Structures are given as C-alpha cells and as structure tokens.
C-alpha cells in the first residue's frame, strides 16, 4: 500500500491511499486525516488505512502531492556504499582516510539532515547553496520509522550535497548538507509489507539539462554495506523521536568529479516499489566564493 499527503484546490490537506491515478482519502469519524503519523503510529498501519479508506476517490490530476512528512526529523547515513567512499576520498585531500575508516567501522556515519521546513516534495524546487560551486543530488532509499523506531515504510530521498564545502574540511559537513530546500522526499510512503525484497530494489538517477539527459546511473540496494536494522539501532542509541523519524540510507551513485548540478536541471530518482521523485534545481544569487 502507498500513502500520500496531498492538497486540493481548496487548500485542504489530506492523507490518502494511492492506487494508479486515484487517491482514496482516509476519513475517520467524519473528518479527513491530515497527518501521516496518525497512520504510521498504528500497530497495523495498512489495516488501519483500509478501515478508514473513503469509498470516493479523487483523481490524482486534481491535487498536488506534498512531501510525505509531518513533524518528523530527517536523518541520514553516509558512506554506506563503496562508490560513496571512493568519491569522498577523491574530493577530500586532507581527510580521505576518515571515509575509509567509517566505511569499515561498526559505528556508521549518521548525521542530521533536515527538519520538515527544509524538505521539498514532488515537483518542488531543491536548492544549490549560493556559496557553493560543486553540487550533486544523492538518490537514497529512505526508511520511515514511527515513534517506537519501528520501520513502517519507505520513501525516496534526495540528500543534496555541496561537494566543495564537504571536501574542503569534513567539519563543514553540516553546511554541505543542511540548508533550506536541501532534501527531497516523496512521492509517497510505501508501507513495509508492500516493498520488494532488498535484492529486487534498484535505485535510478537521471539528471536532465535543457531536456537532454546529462547523467544517468543505477544501483541495487543489495550493494549497501549495512543493514536497515543495524542503522536504525545506531540511530536510536540514547535518542528518542516522539514524532517518528526518516533516515536516508546513503548514496551508491555519485557522478564523476567533472560533473556539477546547475540551476534549472531536473533531477529524477526512481526506486522499485515506490515510484519517481522529480525536482527542479534552483540557486539564488548565483554561485559566489565562500
Ligand atoms: O560523509 C559524508 C556524507 C556521505 C553521504 O551523504 C552518503 O554517503 O550518502
Ligand atoms: Mg548522502
């Protein structure tokens, strides 16, 4: 089952089950649900959604899909694929070995990525910082946990990254990763029971410029060096998430060093079992030196 958050032309926000080109709003006690957490916090989210599914569908083309997030924090894991390790060792002259060590260490790299207001949903713009000249999208399978840290679903995440800022000094990581419109999420949450097996999940990235594809690549999630429960276990050490939490699981696709994103590029990330998240890139004020 796929769940979305949407808004109609009267600005009414609602949570719905997504089937083909139709949305079935969830309606409890005469009102539309507006928080995904109301579903994700249930012991059996799919059964709850089936119970409260309205019989009257709304056509997908009559509404806009929003990022499938309420008040959750967004965290990310890093250097979980070999390609991420090698790309980061290339970009960082002074601290290359810290990426090699974290790839092999029991403790993963985990970092805070975004609060909800920094997240862009489907077809909303994602940003390149104005003080950066080397930027990439990072297409990442994203875990959706409720407040009990149960893995209840999956979505697509785009961990936008400023490679020049991070490469200059790893202590600049929060600036390379966290800023307004730094994180894409969507288009839906696929509940865990409906996801394909890990061996069947593929991530694809396509970047278009002036309607021409300028970069495309794909990777299987079975190339990830860490397990989902392993990452959730580390995230939950001495931390609570009363509103639930999203965790991007790292990128296995990094364009080679000559590539940088440009304003107006269109980034599409597809993941098996979820769908496609598409965003246009913006930058305000033009690139300038730090
Ligand atoms: O170490 C920096 C960030 C790594 C990351 O975001 C990734 O591997 O996806
Ligand atoms: Mg990443």
């Amino acid at each position: 089952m796929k769940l979305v958050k949407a808004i109609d032309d009267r600005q009414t926000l609602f949570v719905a089950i997504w089937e083909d080109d139709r949305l079935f709003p969830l309606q409890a006690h005469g009102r539309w649900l507006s928080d995904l957490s109301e579903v994700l916090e249930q012991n059996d989210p799919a059964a709850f959604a089936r119970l409260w599914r309205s019989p009257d569908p709304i056509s997908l083309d009559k509404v806009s899909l929003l990022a499938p997030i309420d008040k959750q924090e967004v965290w990310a894991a890093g250097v979980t694929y070999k390609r991420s390790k090698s790309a980061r060792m290339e970009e960082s002259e002074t601290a290359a070995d810290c990426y090699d060590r974290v790839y092999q260490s029991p403790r993963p790299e985990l970092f805070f990525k975004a609060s909800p207001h920094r997240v862009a949903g489907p077809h909303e713009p994602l940003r390149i910082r104005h003080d950066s000249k080397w930027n990439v999208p990072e297409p990442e399978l994203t875990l959706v946990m409720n407040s009990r840290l149960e893995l209840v679903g999956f979505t697509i995440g785009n961990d936008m990254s400023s490679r020049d800022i991070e490469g200059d000094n790893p202590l600049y990581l929060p600036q390379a990763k966290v800023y307004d419109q730094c994180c894409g999420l969507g288009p839906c949450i696929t509940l865990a029971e409906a996801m394909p097996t890990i061996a069947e999940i593929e991530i694809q990235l396509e970047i278009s410029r002036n309607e021409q594809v300028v970069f495309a690549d794909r990777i299987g999630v079975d190339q990830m060096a860490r397990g989902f429960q392993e990452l959730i276990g580390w995230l939950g050490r001495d931390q609570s998430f009363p509103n639930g939490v999203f965790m991007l699981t790292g990128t296995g696709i990094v364009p080679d060093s000559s590539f940088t994103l440009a304003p107006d590029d269109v980034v599409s990330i597809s993941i098996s079992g979820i769908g496609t998240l598409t965003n246009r890139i913006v930058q305000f004020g033009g690139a300038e030196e730090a």
Side-chain angles (χ1 to χ4, degrees):
M1 179 185 289
K2 292 181 178 181
L3 298 175
V4 293
K5 207 163 173 175
I7 192 162
D8 68 11
D9 53 7
R10 290 194 218 152
Q11 301 301 301
T12 307
L13 215 133
F14 61 98
V15 168
I17 298 173
W18 181 9
E19 286 174 10
D20 303 318
D21 55 358
R22 295 182 309 170
L23 302 183
F24 294 86
L26 301 187
Q27 209 171 17
H29 311 297
R31 69 170 179 103
W32 280 1
L33 301 194
S34 56
D35 269 0
L36 279 159
S37 302
E38 292 182 81
V39 187
L40 304 177
E41 288 297 324
Q42 302 295 323
N43 288 329
D44 186 343
F48 177 88
R50 271 193 292 271
L51 187 66
W52 297 113
R53 168 192 162 122
S54 153
D56 305 316
I58 300 176
S59 175
L60 187 59
D61 58 15
K62 297 263 183 305
V63 302
S64 303
L65 295 185
L66 302 173
I69 188 168
D70 312 311
K71 294 184 184 150
Q72 296 91 334
E73 292 178 3
V74 183
W75 284 68
V79 198
T80 51
Y81 291 81
K82 267 203 182 121
R83 175 63 191 130
S84 177
K85 178 184 79 148
S86 60
R88 280 170 164 103
M89 290 177 75
E90 260 169 59
E91 84 196 3
S92 171
E93 283 168 20
T94 49
D97 85 309
C98 79
Y99 297 102
D100 196 25
R101 281 190 285 121
V102 82
Y103 183 75
Q104 298 182 48
S105 297
R107 184 188 290 271
E109 178 194 10
L110 297 177
F111 56 93
F112 179 80
K113 175 64 187 172
S115 45
H117 84 275
R118 298 188 171 91
V119 170
H123 303 289
E124 290 176 342
L126 279 171
R127 191 187 294 209
I128 299 174
R129 311 176 48 114
H130 83 280
D131 56 0
S132 173
K133 291 191 167 139
W134 185 20
N135 289 269
V136 287
E138 294 190 355
E140 307 190 10
L141 180 66
T142 299
L143 313 180
V144 182
M145 277 75 70
N146 62 20
S147 64
R148 303 182 292 282
L149 275 184
E150 293 162 342
L151 175 57
V152 288
F154 295 83
T155 189
I156 299 174
N158 183 343
D159 172 23
M160 291 284 291
S161 298
S162 298
R163 293 191 69 184
D164 46 355
I165 296 178
E166 182 191 334
D168 194 17
N169 186 326
L171 295 180
Y172 294 150
L173 185 81
Q175 296 175 73
K177 296 284 193 178
V178 186
Y179 51 89
D180 287 346
Q181 298 167 304
C182 66
C183 180
L185 288 179
C188 63
I189 293 176
T190 300
L191 292 180
E193 61 190 19
M195 270 308 272
T197 63
I198 290 177
E200 293 166 329
I201 305 175
E202 187 177 69
I203 301 177
Q204 293 177 42
L205 170 64
E206 194 177 275
I207 305 171
S208 301
R209 187 167 297 161
N210 302 324
E211 293 177 18
Q212 304 287 324
V213 175
V214 289
F215 178 84
D217 202 356
R218 53 179 65 203
I219 189 154
V221 170
D222 55 5
Q223 300 302 302
M224 194 165 98
R226 301 194 186 255
F228 301 152
Q229 290 304 332
E230 175 191 351
L231 292 175
I232 296 168
W234 282 99
L235 183 68
R237 287 194 177 197
D238 292 276
Q239 288 215 88
S240 54
F241 298 96
N243 299 306
V245 60
F246 288 71
M247 180 165 42
L248 284 71
T249 56
T251 188
I253 300 176
V254 185
D256 72 34
S257 299
S258 61
F259 181 88
T260 184
L261 277 175
D264 284 329
D265 283 358
V266 175
V267 176
S268 284
I269 303 171
S270 302
I271 301 187
S272 327
I274 305 174
T276 301
L277 173 67
T278 301
N279 300 92
R280 196 173 59 84
I281 301 301
V282 294
Q283 186 176 33
F284 299 108
E288 96 186 12
E289 296 293 346

